[in-house]
Amino acid sequence: MKYWNSTLQAMTEYLPGEQPDNIEQFIKLNTNESPFPPTPPVLEAIKNACDGSLRKYPNPNADPLRKEMASLLGGSFSENNIFVSNGSDEIFTLLFRGFIEKTGLAAFAYPSYSLYYTMAEANGINYEKVPLTDNFDYDLDLFLKKKYDLIILTSPNNPTGTSLTVKQIGDFLQKFKGLLVIDEAYVDFYGGSAVDMVLKYDNLIVTRSFSKSYSLAGLRVGLAIANPDIIQGFLKLKDSYNIDRLALAGALAALKDQKGFKYNMQMLRNNKEYLEERLEALGFEIVPSKGNFVFTKHASFPSEKLYLELKERMILIRYFKGDIQNQYVRISVGSMQEIKKLIEEIGEIIG
Ligand code: PMP
């Protein structure tokens, strides 16, 4: 820590889902990745991009992907509404680095995606954690009690899976005059995006990820969708070539393969329904989720013990230490085979 500045020394680090050395031997249901591989056209596009042209830098702003996303969104969206990031995580770093004054105040829900807290701290931005209700819903009035400069709302929320309706977000935008970010990393599974309101409100940023619904967590691509002025800010602030050639090729092919994408969304929903049914039959209480994961606890079996026992049996699920989260586990929706194995093991563990 000798050469760390005081901000770095004081900040709490983000703890990603664990990845033991022998991770390939585990059933991995702890980081909400897709259980399905990228679709064949996506893998082919990445392989095709793997040639001598890798000696050259990529397109600095990933323009082909910006154009494709704009046309997918339709309406009057253009590439000037789209910023391509190195995973959606990069967007949060840039927000705190360049869109809020050091004297500003941010707000995020609690519990929510803890990277926001980490990135705010890393950039010396003060923030408050606004609690969700006892049912893990948002109480948006609480976010209006103070004059926040930046609010990030996660819909569907991680780890709870609960989400906001488009109407709730619209009503909130009528009243909130700071910068509002809706993190839609999980929106593709059940829909309900706020993205169209970007055309109406210049203080709205919607973020998306290729890591979950597009099965490309390993490629690191995310998107911010906002008015052109905000997008210009992101482009000015980002690293010079933040999207590599392979990532650009893969993400572009993924957007183009909407048939494969929709098929995977349907399969994921089917698997989730099955997982929920089986868990309920075993005595689990499940928070209604619109993500590719469930936040759940057993009526009597302690969550931490369940997590540890499943790990012994080579199945990783997520257990968080926080004071509300520690009563629950978060389980990503796996393949049918993975879910069956999980249910079998849980059945044995809880007897
Ligand atoms: N937002 C939320 C709510 C998430 O759960 C995650 C992934 N853990 C991300 C953003 C980051 O996704 P990406 O892989 O695109 O950086």
Side-chain angles (χ1 to χ4, degrees):
M1 299 203 311
K2 188 174 162 193
Y3 298 105
W4 296 11
N5 73 11
S6 51
T7 310
L8 182 56
Q9 289 190 31
M11 69 179 266
T12 323
E13 72 192 304
Y14 173 72
L15 291 175
E18 63 196 309
Q19 289 203 23
D21 287 346
N22 57 342
I23 189 72
E24 298 306 331
Q25 290 161 29
F26 281 83
I27 291 180
K28 190 171 181 301
L29 304 174
N30 67 338
T31 47
N32 299 342
E33 290 137 332
S34 170
F36 315 122
T39 63
V42 175
L43 291 178
E44 202 179 307
I46 297 169
K47 282 180 196 150
N48 288 342
C50 221
D51 64 13
S53 63
L54 283 175
R55 74 185 173 80
K56 293 189 277 185
Y57 284 110
N59 181 299
N61 296 343
D63 285 331
L65 191 59
R66 298 173 73 203
K67 289 189 183 120
E68 187 64 28
M69 186 63 192
S71 84
L72 202 61
L73 288 173
S76 44
F77 280 102
S78 84
E79 66 196 272
N80 298 326
N81 294 110
I82 319 283
F83 169 66
V84 185
S85 60
N86 192 263
S88 55
D89 283 348
E90 187 194 11
I91 299 165
F92 308 119
T93 305
L94 298 180
L95 276 170
F96 299 120
R97 204 193 285 165
F99 285 85
I100 174 169
E101 296 294 346
K102 293 283 176 210
T103 50
L105 183 62
F108 323 119
Y110 182 82
S112 190
Y113 183 36
S114 67
L115 190 90
Y116 313 139
Y117 320 139
T118 305
M119 287 302 152
E121 288 173 28
N123 289 281
I125 302 295
N126 287 321
Y127 66 91
E128 292 183 352
K129 293 178 178 175
V130 177
L132 297 176
T133 67
D134 291 345
N135 294 333
F136 299 121
D137 287 321
Y138 282 94
D139 180 351
L140 289 181
D141 287 340
L142 290 181
F143 284 88
L144 294 168
K145 287 225 155 123
K146 267 200 189 166
K147 202 178 157 295
Y148 294 115
D149 301 286
L150 170 72
I151 293 177
I152 304 180
L153 302 177
T154 318
S155 183
N157 188 38
N158 174 14
T160 59
T162 43
S163 56
L164 289 159
T165 63
V166 176
K167 177 163 185 331
Q168 276 178 302
I169 297 169
D171 291 348
F172 189 72
L173 280 162
Q174 297 280 354
K175 300 173 201 152
F176 179 64
K177 297 301 160 211
L179 196 53
L180 178 66
V181 181
I182 306 289
D183 179 346
E184 294 190 347
Y186 299 100
V187 84
D188 291 328
F189 300 104
Y190 289 88
S193 173
V195 74
D196 286 341
M197 283 189 284
V198 158
L199 298 172
K200 185 167 169 200
Y201 295 96
D202 70 357
N203 60 335
L204 174 63
I205 303 175
V206 169
T207 66
R208 297 277 182 87
S209 173
F210 282 78
S211 302
K212 322 291 179 184
S213 52
Y214 284 100
S215 308
L216 289 172
L219 220 50
R220 311 305 302 128
V221 188
L223 298 170
I225 303 148
N227 82 79
D229 185 61
I230 287 179
I231 298 303
Q232 274 307 316
F234 279 124
L235 292 173
K236 186 173 178 188
L237 201 57
K238 73 176 182 68
D239 288 346
S240 48
Y241 299 99
N242 61 334
I243 303 297
D244 66 65
R245 278 178 173 269
L246 304 186
L248 177 54
L252 190 58
L255 283 191
K256 287 186 170 162
D257 184 16
Q258 284 300 305
K259 195 168 160 221
F261 170 72
K262 284 180 186 147
Y263 180 78
N264 281 353
M265 293 305 91
Q266 185 57 52
M267 289 221 298
L268 194 289
R269 288 192 293 266
N270 294 346
N271 289 11
K272 175 165 167 281
E273 229 171 81
Y274 178 76
L275 171 65
E276 288 180 335
E277 268 169 29
R278 304 310 302 161
L279 286 173
E280 267 165 1
L282 286 169
F284 281 82
E285 181 188 303
I286 296 169
V287 179
S289 161
K290 291 204 168 150
N292 62 338
F293 55 88
V294 293
F295 197 50
T296 182
K297 64 177 177 186
H298 189 261
S300 56
F301 200 89
S303 286
E304 185 173 18
K305 192 154 184 255
L306 179 67
Y307 151 74
L308 289 171
E309 296 229 4
L310 279 171
K311 192 169 159 183
E312 286 284 306
R313 293 162 188 246
M314 307 304 283
I315 300 180
L316 284 176
I317 60 171
R318 195 72 178 264
Y319 175 73
F320 296 97
K321 289 259 182 245
D323 50 3
I324 300 168
Q325 300 93 313
N326 63 10
Q327 297 161 39
Y328 292 79
V329 288
R330 192 194 68 194
I331 307 176
S332 309
V333 176
S335 66
M336 226 21 152
Q337 206 185 353
E338 289 172 332
I339 295 173
K340 284 185 176 155
K341 179 76 179 152
L342 170 82
I343 293 298
E344 186 189 313
E345 296 291 352
I346 294 181
E348 277 181 24
I349 292 167
I350 64 179

